[in-house]
Amino acid sequence: MNNYTPRPEHKFTFGLWTVGNTGRDPFGAPVREAKTPAELVYLLADAGAYGVNFHDNDLIPIDASPSEADAIKKSFRKALEDTGLKVPMATTNLFYDPAFKDGAFTANDPKVRAYAIQKTLKAIDLGVEFGAKVYVFWGGREGTETDSSKSAVDAIKRNREAMNFFCEYALDQGYDLKFALEAKPNEPRGDLYNPTTGHMLAFIETLDHPEMVGVNPEVAHEHMAGINFMHGVAQAWEAGKLFHIDLNDQYPGRYDQDLRFGSRDIKAAFYLVKFLEDVNYQGMRHYDAHAYRTEDYDGVKDFAVGCMRTYLILKEKAEKFNQDTEIQALLKEINADDGSMDQYFGKYSAEKAASLKNAEFDRVVLGKRRLPYERLDQLTIELLLGLG
Ligand code: DIG
Ligand code: MN
Ligand code: MN
């Protein structure tokens, strides 16, 4: 076993919908036969995953009878027991069924909004039944094609009312559950509400129980918005709101590709892994991605193993970065601080402001200071290329 063999302590998880993706796309039929939830659990265990997540209807089809649902849950539970895989997260499919064509919680039709809340309450129960501690909300249909159709303020209020209801439900049921909101700028709707993690962080602060609600940032979604993913993750973490994370990859300016982690922007993936490891992030490393449509199930397993191997390889690169003498010497130089400015930082005081206003600065000298970022970045690139 080498450093790149996934182990349970790495907390790598996958959704049933990821390795269960049959390759259907808007221009093509499925290329892989569907596997049962139980079969997917064995596949993930074989790949080295720690856990498996699901939308309600990944596990229980929306039209399943009670006896069919019981049989599916029984075989799924046996597979979990056989393999030891956990179910850290669950979520609701509020985007596939035609009922949600105009959204779920933000739909104009109050019957759809009520049905979406009912479906989510039942899906929360199902997730908790299998041990989920994080519940994700991705509003795939919460948006518009034409803004003539809906007030953006009404949409915010409907989303808020729904989230407040779920927080009260979890408290009422005594569930040990945290909620994680996942942003995306567009697709499948023309424009989605709460399009980035930043919007979600602001929305959370308007809720009745903001302490119960965090975010589930996804690499592809922030990349679609042209945003530095690690910066958004760092902001969420610093606010104590990084409850979950969706790892994958994405070419800019494309539809949501949900590519294998690190397969497109290895430098961005490195900075993300370095951040998560540097701050000792204790959450799941969840892959919301799927194999190329060209793959058979051996290729699907290659995809899953590749997601985890790349994370572990970049984890080792981050350790080398932190130990590299030249890199660390440059960082020491760049961040040199003689402490002479400490008198002006921190909490405000009138004395501090008066003193700072009288201080003298030579901005010409400040502007001439050496900042060897080119050398630092070249060393980073060479580390990633295997020279370091
Ligand atoms: C899409 O990126 C969304 C759905 O797959 C799911 O609701 C959520 C959980 O990872 N991500
Ligand atoms: Mn996605
Ligand atoms: Mn996702």
Side-chain angles (χ1 to χ4, degrees):
M1 184 180 293
N2 59 30
N3 281 348
Y4 316 131
T5 304
R7 295 191 302 275
E9 61 264 31
H10 297 133
K11 296 185 184 171
F12 291 132
T13 63
F14 291 79
L16 281 176
W17 68 91
T18 67
V19 287
N21 181 298
T22 56
R24 180 175 58 81
D25 68 24
F27 303 99
V31 295
R32 297 181 286 267
E33 76 284 1
K35 285 188 177 291
T36 66
E39 288 170 330
L40 294 169
V41 169
Y42 292 115
L43 184 155
L44 283 171
D46 196 32
Y50 164 78
V52 60
N53 307 310
F54 56 77
H55 299 84
D56 49 350
N57 300 139
D58 298 330
L59 186 61
I60 312 292
I62 198 165
D63 54 3
S65 67
S67 60
E68 286 166 342
D70 288 344
I72 291 166
K73 287 201 286 186
K74 189 174 175 204
S75 65
F76 183 62
R77 189 175 296 285
K78 181 178 185 311
L80 294 173
E81 287 161 2
D82 289 350
T83 60
L85 255 65
K86 305 297 181 197
V87 179
M89 180 272 273
T91 183
T92 325
N93 188 321
L94 294 172
F95 45 85
Y96 190 82
D97 192 272
F100 303 121
K101 63 188 176 186
D102 183 35
F105 308 139
T106 65
N108 276 330
D109 183 340
K111 290 192 180 68
V112 171
R113 297 202 299 271
Y115 170 52
I117 291 172
Q118 178 201 69
K119 191 172 192 285
T120 303
L121 292 173
K122 293 179 177 177
I124 288 171
D125 294 343
L126 182 64
V128 169
E129 181 182 344
F130 282 95
K133 291 284 189 288
V134 174
Y135 201 83
V136 164
F137 289 80
W138 171 62
R141 298 283 178 194
E142 311 295 14
T144 61
E145 283 72 44
T146 168
D147 280 317
S148 302
S149 64
K150 198 170 295 172
S151 149
V153 172
D154 287 351
I156 292 167
K157 290 178 175 173
R158 291 169 183 169
N159 253 332
R160 178 181 302 123
E161 188 178 305
M163 286 313 304
N164 287 337
F165 197 88
F166 298 128
C167 287
E168 294 291 351
Y169 179 70
L171 292 169
D172 201 18
Q173 297 292 98
Y175 287 159
D176 174 18
L177 202 58
K178 295 196 292 191
F179 294 123
L181 308 185
E182 178 174 342
K184 186 177 180 182
N186 59 70
E187 190 198 29
R189 297 303 296 269
D191 293 295
L192 293 181
Y193 296 118
N194 284 325
T196 71
T197 294
H199 289 81
M200 285 297 190
L201 289 171
F203 173 66
I204 288 166
E205 293 313 309
T206 71
L207 300 177
D208 293 349
H209 296 280
E211 73 286 352
M212 294 177 67
V213 188
V215 290
N216 175 44
E218 178 176 309
V219 175
H221 299 175
E222 305 288 309
H223 283 193
M224 285 169 73
I227 286 173
N228 180 310
F229 184 66
M230 183 271 285
H231 290 181
V233 168
Q235 183 168 358
W237 182 84
E238 199 272 341
K241 293 293 182 185
L242 187 64
F243 288 6
H244 199 261
I245 195 167
D246 274 3
L247 302 175
N248 55 21
D249 215 341
Q250 174 75 29
Y251 280 76
R254 307 289 203 289
Y255 61 90
D256 186 5
Q257 294 176 296
D258 291 340
L259 296 171
R260 185 181 78 255
F261 180 64
S263 61
R264 165 60 176 91
D265 189 337
I266 198 68
K267 196 175 184 184
F270 166 72
Y271 288 131
L272 173 64
V273 171
K274 182 176 185 303
F275 176 80
L276 294 175
E277 296 303 318
D278 283 352
V279 300
N280 193 25
Y281 166 69
Q282 288 300 301
M284 298 300 120
R285 276 79 170 157
H286 175 239
Y287 295 100
D288 186 6
H290 55 76
Y292 302 139
R293 186 165 179 267
T294 47
E295 302 301 304
D296 60 14
Y297 273 105
D298 287 341
V300 167
K301 192 173 160 209
D302 290 341
F303 147 81
V305 171
C307 282
M308 297 183 281
R309 275 182 60 85
T310 297
Y311 187 102
L312 293 174
I313 292 166
L314 292 175
K315 179 172 183 286
E316 186 179 76
K317 295 290 184 188
E319 289 158 5
K320 287 186 174 177
F321 182 100
N322 292 337
Q323 292 155 13
D324 183 284
T325 47
E326 186 177 356
I327 288 174
Q328 294 307 311
L330 286 172
L331 288 173
K332 191 165 183 289
E333 176 191 343
I334 289 163
N335 293 288
D337 179 354
D338 62 7
S340 62
M341 293 295 110
D342 290 353
Q343 60 184 303
Y344 301 126
F345 297 142
K347 196 160 170 47
Y348 172 82
S349 74
E351 295 71 24
K352 199 176 281 186
S355 168
L356 182 52
K357 286 173 75 174
N358 290 323
E360 298 216 348
F361 295 98
D362 184 339
R363 58 186 166 74
V364 174
V365 168
L366 294 179
K368 288 189 182 313
R369 181 171 165 205
R370 171 178 125 97
L371 290 171
Y373 292 175
E374 282 287 351
R375 179 66 186 147
L376 178 60
D377 190 71
Q378 180 62 25
L379 286 170
T380 306
I381 292 294
E382 292 185 8
L383 175 66
L384 294 177
L385 291 174
L387 276 71

